[in-house]
Amino acid sequence: MKTILATAYDINPYKGSESGTGWNFILQISRFNKVIAVTRLNNRGYIEKFIRDNGIDVENISFHYYDLPYFLRFWKRGSRGSFLYYNLWQVGLVLDVFIKNLKFDFVQHINFHADHVPSFLWVFRKPFIWGPLNHNEPIPKQFTTTKLVFVKDRLVFLIKYIRWYCDPFIYLCSKSATVVIGSSSSVQSRLRIPDDRFHKISTVGTSAPELKEDKVHHDIELSTAAPFTVISVGRFVPIKSFDISIRAFNEFYCSLTKKERNEVRFILVGDGPLKAELKSVVNSLECCDAVEFIKWIEQQALFGLYQHSAVMLAPSHEGGGAVIAEAQSYGLPVICFDNFGAGELIDKRSGIVVEQSSYMDSYTAMGSAMINLYRDNDLYSRLRKGSFDNFEKNLSWDSKGDKLNIIYKSITSRGI
């Protein structure tokens, strides 16, 4: 059993996204190895409360809490200044580890997930695992609904591009890493990592109580019963392309008989700056009476929606998406684009991947995919079972822990 020094700036077992990923990856590492988990001091209360209230076994975990001195952090307020503070925190924790004389065999940088932000753990001259990492590729031009959206998206990507190719610390970090773990193949491409040093493990995960295999066939029948519910979940922002979801559902809806239209519905769960615009799109279409908007809801209520839904529409262009793992933990087939995000999280056995063609052709293709799932019970049942299997093998936290352990063993066997 090795000792891993794992740095996770953000750990909160009560949250999802970065916070939840930090917590769950620490737990997964501790299944097979001892962990020295270094995180911010402000995470301590949440961590200790969750461990105490849930009886979590932390025998293999030693938490170390570190923050910069007050004079180097008084100016940070919430998200304001977080990027600069994060970089300073990473430099400071290296000094803190040296001062405390912590003993370990490997080092691993867990979050932030952004692959355009360097880690400094390579200075310890131990086997260094960088990741899991991720990033968003540019939104394809045909899906940027305004010039402003296009310009903002390209400016954000330009900053990443400059850091990938001009930041000496990114270069040192990527060259010094024994292994780089990416959520998609685009991470390997952008960082120019050779195959023998790259492993793909998704950053997305879920705290949903996933279905057990002996329940899958029962829940297939439940989800195909009326109403046939299609669901999309996330913030209403340009990268999600929920306007494509809406228009795709309308294509599906218009293909149905009057009786069938009364037995289908589309639920969009979320909120954000594009909400009014999306509602306007809905009101202009024939499917308007079958579409429902639900603001952010408690996790348990969201899990209930998944359990009574039939299909997830996920036309997002982002590199990850926890909603994919959540949906597939309930066996929902996913309809998505063939991209570096959801397109690499699912396969033809667990969903339908649509080519990113023209705007109209794209939502038409997604609409056709829904029609096929609605009409073909065998196809639907097969993909629903495949969704559950894909979650168990690739998207569950335990599957990620198993893959991490294989990486550690391979490094040990090479005597690095």
Side-chain angles (χ1 to χ4, degrees):
M1 181 178 286
K2 298 293 185 179
T3 298
I4 317 295
L5 175 75
T7 62
Y9 177 85
D10 188 6
I11 296 179
N12 188 332
Y14 292 99
K15 292 183 178 180
S17 191
E18 289 269 2
S19 305
T21 298
W23 168 256
N24 281 287
F25 268 100
I26 293 296
L27 286 187
Q28 290 302 322
I29 295 171
S30 73
R31 288 173 57 204
F32 306 101
N33 297 280
K34 292 192 176 295
V35 188
I36 300 172
V38 183
T39 187
R40 288 197 63 198
L41 183 61
N42 67 344
N43 298 321
R44 183 170 190 165
Y46 300 112
I47 292 170
E48 293 182 347
K49 183 179 186 302
F50 191 84
I51 291 170
R52 183 174 61 251
D53 292 349
N54 295 275
I56 305 297
D57 180 7
V58 292
E59 182 181 355
N60 284 343
I61 308 174
S62 172
F63 285 99
H64 286 255
Y65 300 97
Y66 169 76
D67 264 322
L68 294 171
Y70 179 75
F71 73 90
L72 288 176
R73 59 182 167 89
F74 72 91
W75 43 266
K76 183 183 180 299
R77 292 290 184 274
S79 60
R80 189 190 75 185
S82 59
F83 182 79
L84 174 60
Y85 183 82
Y86 173 67
N87 283 275
L88 293 174
W89 184 85
Q90 286 198 97
V91 175
L93 80 85
V94 170
L95 296 174
D96 188 61
V97 169
F98 274 124
I99 291 170
K100 291 176 179 175
N101 196 29
L102 300 177
K103 303 298 182 182
F104 46 87
D105 301 299
F106 297 165
V107 290
Q108 181 168 355
H109 169 98
I110 293 178
N111 65 5
F112 288 169
H113 297 151
D115 58 5
H116 60 283
V117 181
S119 170
F120 298 95
L121 295 181
W122 47 271
V123 303
F124 292 115
R125 297 187 179 277
K126 299 280 187 177
F128 166 41
I129 298 97
W130 189 23
L133 305 171
N134 206 356
H135 69 261
N136 296 328
E137 288 288 314
I139 303 172
K141 186 177 181 180
Q142 65 269 35
F143 302 113
T144 54
T145 52
T146 67
K147 289 183 179 179
L148 182 59
V149 168
F150 176 80
V151 171
K152 283 184 175 180
D153 180 71
R154 294 311 188 262
L155 284 176
V156 169
F157 189 78
L158 177 61
I159 293 171
K160 298 176 190 175
Y161 192 88
I162 291 172
R163 298 205 70 175
W164 284 326
Y165 294 96
C166 301
D167 188 331
F169 293 113
I170 291 287
Y171 176 82
L172 285 169
C173 185
S174 62
K175 291 298 181 183
S176 301
T178 309
V179 168
V180 174
I181 300 174
S183 189
S184 73
S185 58
S186 62
V187 173
Q188 181 181 13
S189 175
R190 294 298 182 183
L191 293 176
R192 305 175 299 285
I193 307 298
D195 290 344
D196 63 343
R197 291 199 297 122
F198 183 78
H199 291 262
K200 188 159 71 171
I201 300 177
S202 169
T203 58
V204 305
T206 177
S207 58
E210 65 268 15
L211 298 176
K212 301 304 179 185
E213 192 162 6
D214 58 358
K215 290 181 61 184
V216 171
H217 295 294
H218 166 74
D219 286 295
I220 287 171
E221 296 175 2
L222 176 65
S223 293
T224 53
F228 182 89
T229 301
V230 179
I231 190 170
S232 284
V233 180
R235 291 194 68 230
F236 300 152
V237 291
I239 198 169
K240 303 286 188 178
S241 280
F242 283 145
D243 51 314
I244 293 290
S245 287
I246 294 166
R247 295 186 184 281
F249 180 78
N250 188 65
E251 291 287 310
F252 164 64
Y253 183 84
C254 290
S255 73
L256 304 177
T257 66
K258 185 176 181 179
K259 180 178 182 297
E260 289 171 334
R261 291 182 183 188
N262 292 327
E263 297 174 346
V264 302
R265 63 173 180 165
F266 180 34
I267 298 176
L268 291 111
V269 181
D271 207 347
L274 296 184
K275 186 172 185 177
E277 182 179 322
L278 293 176
K279 283 191 170 183
S280 178
V281 173
V282 169
N283 291 333
S284 71
L285 299 173
E286 198 168 342
C287 67
C288 59
D289 291 335
V291 179
E292 179 182 3
F293 285 83
I294 297 179
K295 282 190 175 182
W296 289 120
I297 54 179
E298 294 294 326
Q299 276 195 328
Q300 291 304 315
L302 177 58
F303 299 156
L305 286 178
Y306 286 136
Q307 192 165 1
H308 292 87
S309 295
V311 178
M312 167 165 276
L313 273 180
S316 176
H317 311 287
E318 62 190 339
V323 296
I324 303 298
E326 291 174 354
Q328 297 233 302
S329 74
Y330 282 96
L332 268 66
V334 173
I335 301 173
C336 65
F337 282 127
D338 184 8
N339 56 20
F340 291 115
E344 288 194 1
L345 295 177
I346 70 166
D347 55 30
K348 64 182 179 181
R349 295 171 297 177
S350 61
I352 298 177
V353 177
V354 173
E355 181 184 354
Q356 293 182 134
S357 52
S358 71
Y359 185 87
M360 180 180 294
D361 287 346
S362 295
Y363 71 70
T364 300
M366 286 195 171
S368 297
M370 266 184 286
I371 294 168
N372 290 338
L373 290 174
Y374 182 77
R375 300 285 184 207
D376 190 336
N377 289 332
D378 289 340
L379 172 64
Y380 180 82
S381 298
R382 188 165 64 251
L383 292 186
R384 188 158 172 80
K385 177 63 166 58
S387 297
F388 179 81
D389 290 342
N390 185 50
F391 174 79
E392 288 291 301
K393 294 174 183 176
N394 299 304
L395 301 180
S396 69
W397 288 117
D398 280 353
S399 70
K400 294 176 175 60
D402 293 340
K403 292 174 183 178
L404 278 177
N405 192 43
I406 291 172
I407 292 172
Y408 298 142
K409 286 183 175 180
S410 70
I411 293 174
T412 301
S413 67
R414 286 183 284 165
I416 296 175

